[in-house]
Amino acid sequence: MTASILSIGTAVPRTRVAQSALRDLFAAQPGFDRRSQRLVGAAFDAAAIDTRHTVLPQLAGGAADGIAALADGELTMPPTGARNDEYRRTAPALFAEAAEEALAGSGLDRRAVTHVVTVSCTGMFAPGPDYLLVRDLDLSPNVERYHLGFIGCAAAIPAVRLAARIVAADPDAVVLVAAAELCSLHWQTSSDPDQIVAASVFADGAAAAVVTAADPARPGLDLEGFATFVTDDGEKDMAWTVGDSGFEMTLTPEVPRIIGREIAAIAASVLGDLDAIDAWAVHPGGRSILDRVESALSLDATALEPSRDVLRAHGNMSSATLLFILRDLLADAARRDGDRVAALAFGPGLTVEAARLVVRRPAA
């Protein structure tokens, strides 16, 4: 039984901040010497990001709704508990907004949902977002719930893969997948180059998808296959750990180089004939990662535009980002029935997750 993504919904916090404003804010932090300020300027300017969204309105001159992340122009370093409390306060609404949009786009009654799969790596609590979606969206109390935590930027593909496995086992299943990440809660004011790079790209956002058995009469993205691959290097180059002052991201310059060195062989192995791919959905961990993938796979300069467009408008929203790209591809009128889509995402490890999808456009 082939599973299909019927619809995708997205949501972002109401506060949008220009990349240049965030650059200037970070560069002005106490303790940043000239070298650190140059690193901030170079990292933020090279990120190919125009704007990002955040649950911290004070970063755009607004009043603090929750934690005080800014005091007299100085970024504060709240303890992990306070950051997680803010996640618990603000993440559920984004999960629900994206899920509501996905359900509306599917045309299905919300009571038809049989399974919920939630994804996040930027906060944790119980009962968690899977429980809250059932309650807040008035889903059936019998819905099966699963939560995938701390998988990082690659997590959307395992989540959709789990949904496809559920549908394969139960053709009547309707699976709601929802991912929400509040990366800005964990920004660090450290002058460490890895932390500067992380601060230059990560942002907040949520996305959700409705996955059911493919119906020839309905448009969608049919889920043809999945693969996962752990590289020989990268275990220490991309990592996500819990510290006393928030979750700490390690993202070294080796990550793009490892991906560039290994992605061609991996892609050929897990995706097959790359010349048969009509569209690409590559997680934009950063501009340099997209550049390396484009070069290593000898892609046309326009092939990764969907990924670059999402990066430019939203930054890297971790696990939610890939669903933003797939949303745009699903809505793209230029995509024809039978077009083959390759999705790639990269997570801690360094892990490569891949999916093969096929565009379905029923005849009018």
Side-chain angles (χ1 to χ4, degrees), residues 213-305:
D215 181 349
R218 304 187 62 155
L221 290 171
D222 292 347
L223 301 168
E224 189 177 72
F226 299 89
T228 187
F229 188 92
V230 178
T231 63
D232 292 334
D233 298 317
E235 182 176 349
K236 296 180 180 180
D237 294 294
M238 185 190 291
W240 191 227
T241 58
V242 178
D244 292 334
S245 297
F247 298 173
E248 298 173 0
M249 165 58 75
T250 298
L251 191 65
T252 78
E254 285 301 309
V255 171
R257 288 196 279 268
I258 293 169
I259 291 172
R261 184 178 68 238
E262 301 200 23
I263 194 62
I266 294 171
S269 173
V270 303
L271 296 173
D273 182 8
L274 301 186
D275 291 334
I277 302 299
D278 300 297
W280 290 84
V282 178
H283 173 72
R287 192 206 70 186
S288 59
I289 288 178
L290 294 179
D291 290 347
R292 294 277 184 161
V293 171
E294 181 180 289
S295 176
L297 300 183
S298 300
L299 299 179
D300 182 88
T302 63
L304 299 187
E305 276 307 304

Side-chain angles (χ1 to χ4, degrees), residues 15-26 44-45 49-54 59-60 187 199-200 312-313:
T15 299
R16 184 174 66 177
V17 189
Q19 177 78 344
S20 57
L22 289 173
R23 176 200 63 207
D24 294 345
L25 175 63
F26 272 84
F44 278 68
D45 291 345
I49 296 170
D50 291 340
T51 56
R52 288 186 274 169
H53 292 81
T54 174
L59 297 184
W187 283 341
S200 73
R312 187 176 303 113

